[in-house]
Amino acid sequence: MRIEESDIPAPSNAEDDLSDLIGVVMEMGQPSAELENIPSPALPVAGEPARLPGHLEDLAARARTYVEAASSANTRRAYASDWKHFSSWCRRQGLAVLPPDPQVVGLYVTACASGTATADKKANAVATIERRLSSLCWNYAQRGQPLDRRDRHIATVLAGIRNTHAAPPRQKEAILPEDLIAMLETLPRATLRGLRDRAMLLLGFAGALRRSEIVGLDVGRDQTEDGRGWIEVFPGKGLLITLRGKTGWREVEIGRGSADATCPVAALETWLKFARIAHGPLFRRVTGRGRTVGAHRLNDQEVARLIKKTALAAGVRGDLTEGERAQKFAGHSLRAGLASSAEVDERYVQKQLGHASAEMTRKYQRRRDRFRVNLTKASGL
């Protein structure tokens, strides 16, 4: 939620309350309680109660809900962490955090690139620096004091950092069908945890789902406040997943497999049956030595850990050391696996991954024939 100071009307007796409400809403936009209480002209001073009339309290509560819904929990945590990182650096340098100063921010990103921003002397990657800068812009905007990242003190320095330190992207290894089958064999078939993990791996692969999308699913529509989508089973045909993603709602169709052992729909039905789940989060914690299914959904980090653990246990990429293999696999390995192995027209793969462009989909296709179109021969050479 972005509110410019120029949008706030000059206060009168009636408008005082409106200005206070705007300040409260902006304060609600702060991503985490761990942010420092730094007052700004558009916010109430820390410790002073907001003068909010009672009839607007429900409206403020709803506004707070919308502010939180504007970004994911992971994004808000990243914003909070980056702001804390910047604030700590400013404090050590004796610099003011507010108001936003492009020259100070330019020095900060320089420190991040050179490894002097923290005591460990570790330089940040270009992608990390760009994320930190985006976080600062967001945090400043919430305080009604926008930061102009196009200012020469920032833009020129950042361009130089990109030219000096930018490196090709390091892609995660694709989990191919033969790898996935080997990974499934490492999971116990007679435990609830094993049934759950099989369903997550198969569903994540066949749907080309992100790890947050896997754990964000509910059994049905509008069943939980933190749900990011739901499933619908079509007997004899397959499964329809409705997801709320970064760019809006999308549907993902998952057909039945050629064998029950590798069918994502059968694996999901088995998990739901034995876990006795008919409502709420689809994938939950299993406790009590694998005998009890909890009520709360899994964290998305559990998906990444599952992929790493089963890939290592199955010996995927056994030509590498264990440390190298551990770095090769993550949540995106399932998405890359489907994109690389599905022998269908590219537009169907693009739709399954939810990409706006075919070029983005091609980045996930590890086994794509890059020389299928030979412009050298086509030109007559």
Side-chain angles (χ1 to χ4, degrees):
M1 179 180 297
R2 178 169 178 168
I3 303 175
E4 304 289 350
E5 288 186 37
S6 58
D7 295 332
I8 302 177
S12 63
N13 289 338
E15 291 172 342
D16 269 342
D17 291 337
L18 178 59
S19 296
D20 287 336
L21 175 60
I22 292 173
V24 171
V25 171
M26 290 172 64
E27 190 174 36
M28 292 184 293
Q30 296 177 5
S32 172
E34 65 186 19
L35 291 180
E36 299 181 12
N37 291 319
I38 303 174
S40 74
L43 289 175
V45 177
E48 288 188 5
R51 299 186 304 275
L52 187 66
H55 70 280
L56 292 178
E57 289 181 357
D58 289 344
L59 190 62
R62 184 173 292 275
R64 182 163 47 246
T65 301
Y66 288 146
V67 168
E68 292 176 353
S71 57
S72 69
N74 286 340
T75 299
R76 292 194 298 274
R77 281 194 291 269
Y79 286 163
S81 175
D82 290 337
W83 181 259
K84 183 178 181 180
H85 189 270
F86 173 64
S87 300
S88 298
W89 179 83
C90 287
R91 187 165 52 248
R92 291 194 300 272
Q93 309 306 317
L95 299 171
V97 175
L98 289 171
D101 185 339
Q103 190 169 5
V104 169
V105 175
L107 292 174
Y108 168 68
V109 298
T110 300
C112 290
S114 60
T116 60
T118 53
D120 60 9
K121 306 295 183 182
K122 184 178 179 181
N124 289 151
V126 174
T128 301
I129 294 172
E130 291 182 335
R131 190 206 69 214
R132 291 194 192 282
L133 181 57
S134 296
S135 295
L136 295 187
C137 291
W138 187 91
N139 276 281
Y140 276 125
Q142 302 314 299
R143 290 162 172 76
Q145 301 186 37
L147 172 68
D148 182 9
R149 63 183 298 165
R150 294 173 297 181
D151 184 281
R152 62 186 179 87
H153 293 100
I154 300 174
T156 307
V157 169
L158 189 59
I161 290 172
R162 289 194 190 103
N163 289 339
T164 305
H165 299 293
R170 296 181 179 179
Q171 295 181 318
K172 293 300 181 182
E173 190 83 5
I175 296 292
L176 301 176
E178 57 269 25
D179 301 326
L180 182 61
I181 292 172
M183 291 162 62
L184 294 174
E185 290 300 318
T186 69
L187 298 172
R189 296 175 179 271
T191 68
L192 287 171
R193 185 176 288 111
L195 295 178
R196 181 201 66 191
D197 291 350
R198 291 177 67 86
M200 284 200 300
L201 287 176
L202 285 166
L203 199 69
F205 180 90
L209 304 179
R210 299 176 178 87
R211 65 189 192 189
S212 59
E213 292 172 340
I214 296 173
V215 300
L217 290 173
D218 287 341
V219 177
R221 180 172 185 166
D222 299 331
Q223 291 186 341
T224 65
E225 292 184 358
D226 62 341
R228 308 292 295 182
W230 66 90
I231 64 168
E232 186 177 358
V233 178
F234 292 84
K237 293 185 177 181
L239 176 73
L240 177 65
I241 298 178
T242 304
L243 291 169
R244 182 171 60 201
K246 295 181 179 179
T247 58
W249 290 97
R250 67 187 180 96
E251 292 183 339
V252 176
E253 296 91 2
I254 298 179
R256 290 190 175 272
S258 55
D260 284 349
T262 57
C263 175
V265 183
L268 182 61
E269 289 174 330
T270 302
W271 157 246
L272 292 176
K273 175 183 176 181
F274 287 97
R276 298 180 180 178
I277 297 176
H279 186 277
L282 195 61
F283 294 115
R284 312 176 182 191
R285 296 192 177 280
V286 177
T287 59
R289 296 185 179 180
R291 297 188 181 92
T292 304
V293 178
H296 302 292
R297 72 176 72 251
L298 286 177
N299 184 286
D300 63 351
Q301 293 288 342
E302 296 292 340
V303 178
R305 282 192 280 267
L306 171 63
I307 293 170
K308 286 179 182 288
K309 180 185 71 174
T310 53
L312 289 174
V316 180
R317 288 302 306 271
D319 56 308
L320 303 176
T321 66
E322 185 169 327
E324 291 172 330
R325 292 163 63 204
Q327 295 297 320
K328 285 283 186 181
F329 301 102
H332 267 52
S333 295
L334 295 177
R335 284 168 63 79
L338 181 85
S340 301
S341 57
E343 300 292 340
V344 296
D345 191 289
E346 190 176 72
R347 69 179 185 274
Y348 296 113
V349 179
Q350 180 182 338
K351 178 182 181 297
Q352 194 79 341
L353 271 68
H355 288 155
S357 69
E359 185 58 34
M360 177 59 72
T361 300
R362 293 187 190 110
K363 293 180 180 179
Y364 283 75
Q365 295 173 321
R366 308 291 192 262
R367 297 196 300 190
R368 178 171 60 91
D369 183 2
R370 297 176 181 272
F371 303 100
R372 182 174 59 85
V373 177
N374 189 329
L375 294 181
T376 306
K377 290 183 177 179
S379 66
L381 297 180

